[in-house]
Amino acid sequence: MNKNSFEIKESDIQKNYVNAHATLESFSFSFNADKDLPPSQRGYNSGVSGAGASTKSKRVQIMNTIQGIDEANPIASITQHQVMASLLRGISIASAIAERFEKQSEFGRLLEAKRANRLGQEELSKFNALNETRAAITAHTLASFMVQQLADALEQGQQESDDIQWFVTKSPLDSIKSVLFELDTNIDNYVQDDKALIGIVVSFFNKIMDEISMRREGLLGLGVFESFTYEIKQDGFEVSGFERPNSLTKAKVDMDFVKPHQVVGNAIAKHQAMRLARMMMCYDFERQLNPFAELGGFIFTFLGDGNPGTGKTTVIKMMAGLLNDYCQVANYPFYYENFGPDRISSYQGTSGRNAKDFIKSITNPKVIGFGTIDDIDQVAGKRGDKQSSSGQQEVTAVLMESFAGANTRILGNCSFGLFSNFPENVDDALRQRAGSRFLIDGPQTYEDFVDILSLLLGNNHDIPTGDIELFITQEIKAAVKVGYEKHNFPEEPRLKDVYATTVEQIGKLDDMAKIGRYLKAIQQAEPRFTGRAVKNITDAVKVRSMDFDMPDEWFEDPALFLHKSYDEKLEMLKALRQPITVEMVLQEINRYSDSEFRYAAKSDEAAIGELVRDYSLRQQAEQRINNKS
């Protein structure tokens, strides 16, 4: 849906400050005492006269609750002040957007008719339904704002808030009061210091957004709200329907970057990572498109696999470092995030939500984004695998949809790297969504081992170098040429047989028809080799055709290339393209197929080992039973 942009004026926000502050200071919240109360709320005395035992109320003073976290300090800390100020600002922004919805929808007319006592029963029902929509919009805006404002201060592994039980959507004010009532309870129950405060607040408002997402189907008038993007420029914040927030600020990348010459071996992986980093920098923020995404050859997802200790983390540090340096030169916002096993939660839905937030942060069209999923075999579970947790299954579903789903759009501003020591344990369909393969094989030649030894020893020694020039074999062009040429023929035994049989039957593979016969033969030998595999191969071939040197000067002086218009960049890149050759196609077929046959062999061997173990256990069990008999 195309969305109209609407800027919320600062004056419309600030006029709500007084009422927002009064609500934060104190209000009374009533609830139905006949329902099961959360443990922390049981025992409150009724504050509603004449109501019998059916309703109870609590005086909520959330500012006092926040300031009372540290009883020894009568003055609010910086963190406490940040939370209170964000609540004040968030409530005011939420009220302003709810007022804008009132003017853009039918609610404004119905409100005037209600004040004049001219509403019939049907229109009264519509008025109440639209008021509930305003309440949901208000609560979502507040929650979205709080999550974005506090995201930078959030640390992993912090305690989560209770589930939402008393969220009311009768009117905007009711929704704000119910949100603050529950937040006050969570802070009072779980927060002992400022670190815990941030974790509980962010977790709580994420659950508020989850709650609204579950209720949105029954809301009236969403078409009006979701057709606009509401912008608050002073805060770098926007509301676009019920979407979750993106952090639009430049992310702090806490990493020890590695320079390309410090990556020993891994020639093709290093080469492709360096190329991809420069490809991403060609993204045009105004057009929100990358010429490489239009010309072909852009790597949206790649799989880096290899044995432990071969250099996967080093490749990540190198690529992130290149992107960070390029973005500093161009003054572009750069966002890096790793999604690891620590993001898997035992709470239902939380792992999936974490994965969605991760994807959204990296794909944000207003940043250059690089996302990595380390140990993906531990993060994403195989479908149908009983040993995979529900959280891992949630992550798999999110990644499948995000990397090649119906709504996936590749703009060319970001890339995802999936890394694993055991890629055969990754779900087949998810693994095949990795469009490129970066084989992380580490040092291979004796020169590689001399280079890595010298690099790791440092300079605090007098050991002679010997008859070798350090790092000369790491010269990328020579190493890559050798790396690609080794894929002129397959390496995996099963694939070697397929290749040899095909060539023996039809001769040298030098045209489209013969290459098609080779692909079919591969599919007959390995049924997991599908049309998606062919797409990944052709994407890799397109990458090879775009495998040219962009002048270093383009990335040192932004005016020469980075800050040119999209059309100018497109023409400059077209002039550097290489023609696709038969050799390129065969090398990429063999490179991709070798990896799939290797994964299949390991996966099959693991399955056989498990069956052998089960059979052995059954035999032992039967023997014990017979001995007892």
Side-chain angles (χ1 to χ4, degrees):
M1 180 184 294
N2 294 325
K3 297 194 177 185
N4 302 307
S5 180
F6 188 92
E7 182 181 354
I8 301 296
K9 296 179 180 178
E10 189 63 25
S11 59
D12 291 336
I13 296 171
Q14 293 186 8
K15 74 179 185 181
N16 295 304
Y17 277 1
V18 173
N19 289 336
H21 185 265
T23 303
L24 291 171
E25 277 194 318
S26 180
F27 66 88
S28 180
F29 182 79
S30 299
F31 48 87
N32 186 347
D34 293 334
K35 294 183 179 180
D36 289 335
L37 298 180
S40 59
Q41 299 302 323
R42 291 172 187 153
Y44 284 120
N45 293 322
S46 173
V48 183
S49 61
S54 62
T55 58
K56 291 185 179 181
S57 67
K58 178 190 176 184
R59 175 62 55 179
V60 180
Q61 297 174 305
I62 195 167
M63 292 179 74
N64 286 344
T65 302
I66 294 172
Q67 288 178 289
I69 291 171
D70 184 0
E71 295 179 354
N73 190 349
I75 301 175
S77 68
I78 293 175
T79 299
Q80 292 166 13
H81 178 77
Q82 181 185 11
V83 172
M84 290 188 290
S86 297
L87 283 169
L88 176 68
R89 180 76 175 167
I91 293 171
S92 302
I93 290 172
S95 300
I97 291 179
E99 290 165 3
R100 176 48 49 184
F101 173 76
E102 173 184 327
K103 296 176 182 178
Q104 292 169 332
S105 70
E106 198 178 357
F107 184 84
R109 179 188 67 80
L110 294 173
L111 179 61
E112 290 183 6
K114 187 175 186 296
R115 287 169 177 167
N117 200 24
R118 290 188 285 105
L119 279 184
Q121 188 59 44
E122 184 176 340
E123 287 196 322
L124 179 60
S125 297
K126 183 181 292 187
F127 171 86
N128 291 333
L130 287 172
N131 210 16
E132 288 192 17
T133 303
R134 291 173 69 237
I137 290 169
T138 303
H140 170 80
T141 302
L142 171 60
S144 180
F145 182 78
M146 293 298 294
V147 170
Q148 177 170 302
Q149 290 297 104
L150 302 179
D152 289 341
L154 181 67
E155 298 181 18
Q156 295 298 328
Q158 295 181 338
Q159 183 174 355
E160 295 200 350
S161 68
D162 278 334
D163 290 335
I164 307 302
Q165 297 186 50
W166 294 96
F167 177 47
V168 181
T169 55
K170 184 177 179 181
S171 71
L173 183 58
D174 287 332
S175 70
I176 291 296
K177 287 183 177 180
S178 65
V179 166
L180 295 179
F181 168 75
E182 294 229 32
L183 179 60
D184 181 84
T185 302
N186 274 278
I187 294 173
D188 191 40
N189 284 349
Y190 300 122
V191 176
Q192 295 82 35
D193 52 36
D194 287 350
K195 176 183 175 182
L197 174 63
I198 296 294
I200 288 294
V201 171
V202 171
S203 169
F204 173 79
F205 280 111
N206 269 316
K207 289 185 176 180
I208 287 291
M209 286 189 281
D210 287 342
E211 183 73 21
I212 295 169
S213 179
M214 289 188 291
R215 299 187 187 196
R216 70 178 299 278
E217 294 300 326
L219 297 176
L220 184 66
L222 284 186
V224 174
F225 173 60
E226 294 183 335
S227 64
F228 286 89
T229 294
Y230 301 93
E231 297 181 347
I232 297 88
K233 291 188 175 180
Q234 179 173 312
D235 301 277
F237 174 66
E238 63 181 32
V239 176
S240 185
F242 289 123
E243 294 179 7
R244 289 183 177 271
N246 273 320
S247 175
L248 303 182
T249 58
K250 188 176 291 188
K252 299 175 184 177
V253 183
D254 186 15
M255 180 185 290
D256 296 325
F257 296 129
V258 169
K259 299 295 183 183
H261 76 274
Q262 296 174 293
V263 179
V264 177
N266 296 319
I268 292 180
K270 177 167 69 172
H271 177 70
Q272 289 187 314
M274 292 170 65
R275 287 284 195 251
L276 178 55
R278 289 195 169 186
M279 282 183 181
M280 289 165 63
M281 292 305 299
C282 297
Y283 177 71
D284 186 275
F285 283 87
E286 183 176 348
R287 186 76 66 88
Q288 292 194 350
L289 186 63
N290 191 319
F292 280 99
E294 181 176 337
L295 294 171
F298 183 80
I299 301 172
F300 181 56
T301 52
F302 64 89
L303 176 64
D305 76 280
N307 293 324
T310 49
K312 291 185 290 297
T313 302
T314 306
V315 171
I316 292 173
K317 290 181 175 181
M318 182 202 74
M319 184 169 168
L322 288 172
L323 286 167
N324 185 69
D325 292 346
Y326 293 153
C327 285
Q328 286 185 353
V329 170
N331 196 29
Y332 290 166
F334 172 51
Y335 187 90
Y336 168 78
E337 184 178 347
N338 179 65
F339 190 94
D342 60 327
R343 307 293 287 278
I344 305 300
S345 172
S346 58
Y347 291 92
Q348 185 175 0
T350 301
S351 302
R353 187 192 70 217
N354 290 344
K356 288 179 182 178
D357 290 346
F358 165 71
I359 295 291
K360 189 169 184 180
S361 295
I362 300 301
T363 57
N364 177 7
K366 297 183 180 180
V367 303
I368 299 295
F370 178 38
T372 55
I373 307 177
D374 210 359
D375 295 322
I376 188 170
D377 52 287
Q378 298 180 37
V379 172
K382 273 189 174 183
R383 291 169 298 171
D385 185 354
K386 294 181 181 179
Q387 294 182 342
S388 296
S389 69
S390 59
Q392 290 172 313
Q393 298 287 349
E394 289 172 16
V395 171
T396 298
V398 171
L399 298 183
M400 295 267 288
E401 175 63 25
S402 301
F403 292 159
N407 297 319
T408 302
R409 291 183 62 216
I410 300 176
L411 305 179
N413 67 308
C414 64
S415 184
F416 292 89
L418 321 179
F419 293 88
S420 176
N421 296 326
F422 306 101
E424 66 275 6
N425 292 337
V426 180
D427 186 272
D428 291 339
L430 176 58
R431 188 178 64 239
Q432 289 177 1
R433 277 163 165 75
S436 186
R437 304 293 167 89
F438 289 12
L439 179 60
I440 315 293
D441 52 4
Q444 296 294 308
T445 65
Y446 100 88
E447 292 94 344
D448 287 342
F449 282 98
V450 173
D451 288 341
I452 196 170
L453 177 66
S454 173
L455 188 67
L456 296 176
L457 282 176
N459 299 320
N460 188 27
H461 66 84
D462 296 320
I463 302 174
T465 302
D467 58 346
I468 187 174
E469 184 177 349
L470 291 176
F471 303 111
I472 190 65
T473 58
Q474 305 308 320
E475 201 282 314
I476 194 70
K477 288 184 179 178
V480 168
K481 186 174 185 294
V482 172
Y484 279 131
E485 285 178 348
K486 78 176 184 178
H487 293 293
N488 285 334
F489 301 97
E491 294 184 335
E492 287 296 308
R494 287 178 61 216
L495 187 60
K496 282 183 178 180
D497 292 341
V498 173
Y499 180 85
T501 301
T502 304
V503 171
E504 182 180 350
Q505 290 175 347
I506 62 177
K508 184 179 179 180
L509 308 179
D510 53 8
D511 61 34
M512 296 279 280
K514 292 179 180 178
I515 293 174
R517 293 277 295 275
Y518 180 36
L519 291 172
K520 176 59 181 176
I522 294 172
Q523 189 263 335
Q524 289 175 327
E526 176 49 66
R528 283 169 280 199
F529 187 87
T530 64
R532 187 180 297 280
V534 177
K535 180 184 183 303
N536 291 337
I537 290 168
T538 56
D539 285 345
V541 172
K542 292 174 184 176
V543 170
R544 294 280 298 277
S545 75
M546 305 298 285
D547 189 11
F548 47 72
D549 289 317
M550 289 183 274
D552 292 338
E553 295 79 13
W554 287 9
F555 301 90
E556 295 167 358
D557 181 358
L560 296 178
F561 177 76
L562 297 177
H563 290 177
K564 287 186 177 294
S565 70
Y566 177 86
D567 292 331
E568 288 176 302
K569 285 189 278 193
L570 183 64
E571 292 304 316
M572 292 170 73
L573 294 174
K574 280 183 177 180
L576 297 175
R577 275 192 301 187
Q578 302 179 58
I580 293 174
T581 65
V582 171
E583 288 72 23
M584 280 185 194
V585 175
L586 287 175
Q587 286 171 358
E588 292 306 321
I589 291 174
N590 291 332
R591 193 158 74 94
Y592 185 93
S593 302
D594 270 330
S595 67
E596 280 299 304
F597 274 71
R598 185 171 65 252
Y599 302 153
K602 289 182 179 179
S603 181
D604 291 345
E605 185 60 34
I608 291 171
E610 189 66 25
L611 290 173
V612 169
R613 179 177 177 276
D614 289 344
Y615 181 72
S616 176
L617 290 174
R618 281 199 302 271
Q619 283 187 318
Q620 292 179 41
E622 289 175 1
Q623 186 174 359
R624 289 187 185 182
I625 292 171
N626 292 333
N627 289 339
K628 288 183 179 180
S629 301

